[in-house]
Amino acid sequence: MSSDADARTTPAAPGGDRRIRAEILIVLGLSLGASAAYSLVAIANRLTRDVPLGDQTATLNPPRDERPFFDLVYQLLGIIVDLVPVALVAFLLWSAARPHLGRLGIDGTRPWRDARDGLGLAALVGIPGLALYLVARELGLAVAVVPTALDEHWWTVPVLLLSAARAGIVEEVIVVGYLFARLRDLRWGPWAIILTSALLRGTYHLYQGFGGFVGNVAMGVLFGWLYTRYGRLLPLVIAHTILDAVIFIGYPWAAATFPALFAPSS
């Protein structure tokens, strides 16, 4: 544990608090901060429509083109572009000494243990998350989330798996690994960091309705506490990726089997 803690609390490069705050705004503006802004506008848009929130739909993986080849190209380009801010924060927090990404909670020393912990965390979060979604749908506080509207092609499942990995990597590296490191540099307390990160996570999911907001804030608090306690990011990335992969790939079956619960309103 001492090596993890030392890596996470290494002093930031000279430049002062103002430079760190500016860097945070730039990184978030290129990634999840922009998503949060769009989600705030989206929920305002949804709430001011004539259609009740519970009768609206949000599609997470829509087709990008009617021709399969170009749809595939657009899907892959979107995934690559979304990962660029991850490369940016890895560059910003890269350490010349090993572990190079220690400030992001990544050292590669316990891959099997991280995978095991990530799988267990996915199971712990997945069932309550599904229950919360169904309750929010019943109360009309969440839109019908359609995880994928892609047609069936040879590349559909691989793209959905890549999309799930993209979400896990982008969200956990930036909203946990990067943000925790930089807010520590600004001398924020642990719970101030955890709650700020969790509220950001909930805000960029507001386009799904208030159920998505509450569920993701709760997930953010849990993930933030675990990261503060153990300092390991990979279990969070793995858990998030597993959750999204199960949702994306399992949705067509769930919608066909339980249309009243999962299929969007016609």
Side-chain angles (χ1 to χ4, degrees), residues 85-97:
V86 174
L88 173 61
V89 302
F91 175 80
L92 291 170
L93 295 183
W94 182 271
S95 172

Side-chain angles (χ1 to χ4, degrees), residues 59-100:
T59 302
L60 304 187
N61 292 286
R64 303 294 182 184
D65 195 272
E66 60 184 13
R67 293 184 290 177
F69 173 77
F70 285 99
D71 191 6
L72 172 61
V73 171
Y74 283 131
Q75 298 291 339
L76 295 177
L77 280 175
I79 292 169
I80 292 170
V81 169
D82 285 348
L83 289 172
V84 172
V86 174
L88 173 61
V89 302
F91 175 80
L92 291 170
L93 295 183
W94 182 271
S95 172
R98 293 181 181 274
H100 299 304

Side-chain angles (χ1 to χ4, degrees), residues 16-245:
D17 291 357
R18 291 180 62 185
R19 186 177 183 89
I20 295 173
R21 292 190 188 98
E23 180 192 290
I24 292 172
L25 291 175
I26 292 169
V27 169
L28 293 182
L30 292 171
S31 57
L32 297 172
S35 298
Y38 277 106
S39 276
L40 287 169
V41 175
I43 192 64
N45 184 3
R46 291 183 181 281
L47 291 174
T48 53
R49 292 180 181 178
D50 294 333
V51 180
L53 187 65
D55 293 337
Q56 299 179 37
T57 301
T59 302
L60 304 187
N61 292 286
R64 303 294 182 184
D65 195 272
E66 60 184 13
R67 293 184 290 177
F69 173 77
F70 285 99
D71 191 6
L72 172 61
V73 171
Y74 283 131
Q75 298 291 339
L76 295 177
L77 280 175
I79 292 169
I80 292 170
V81 169
D82 285 348
L83 289 172
V84 172
V86 174
L88 173 61
V89 302
F91 175 80
L92 291 170
L93 295 183
W94 182 271
S95 172
R98 293 181 181 274
H100 299 304
L101 295 177
R103 296 204 69 215
L104 286 172
I106 301 172
D107 59 20
T109 59
R110 295 181 288 183
W112 295 113
R113 182 174 174 180
D114 287 341
R116 180 204 66 188
D117 292 347
L119 181 60
L121 185 57
L124 177 67
V125 172
I127 296 174
L130 176 60
L132 178 61
Y133 169 74
L134 294 177
V135 169
R137 289 284 298 136
E138 186 67 24
L139 296 175
L141 298 176
V143 304
V145 177
V146 178
T148 177
L150 296 178
D151 294 329
E152 293 187 7
H153 305 293
W154 66 265
W155 49 261
T156 301
V157 170
V159 163
L160 290 174
L161 290 174
L162 288 173
S163 183
R166 180 244 328 257
I169 293 168
V170 172
E171 293 189 38
E172 305 314 326
V173 170
I174 293 176
V175 84
V176 178
Y178 170 77
L179 196 58
F180 275 53
R182 282 313 194 206
L183 293 181
R184 285 183 182 125
D185 291 339
L186 294 175
R187 298 169 298 282
W188 285 36
W191 278 104
I193 298 174
I194 291 171
L195 292 176
T196 298
S197 171
L199 286 172
L200 173 60
R201 187 190 296 265
T203 301
Y204 61 73
H205 284 96
L206 260 175
Y207 69 93
Q208 298 177 8
F210 297 108
F213 174 81
V214 172
N216 278 280
V217 168
M219 177 176 166
V221 170
L222 174 61
F223 277 25
W225 179 82
L226 289 171
Y227 185 70
T228 301
R229 176 69 177 83
Y230 299 105
R232 304 197 65 79
L233 190 70
L234 287 183
L236 309 185
V237 173
I238 292 168
H240 193 144
T241 300
I242 291 172
L243 286 170
D244 281 7

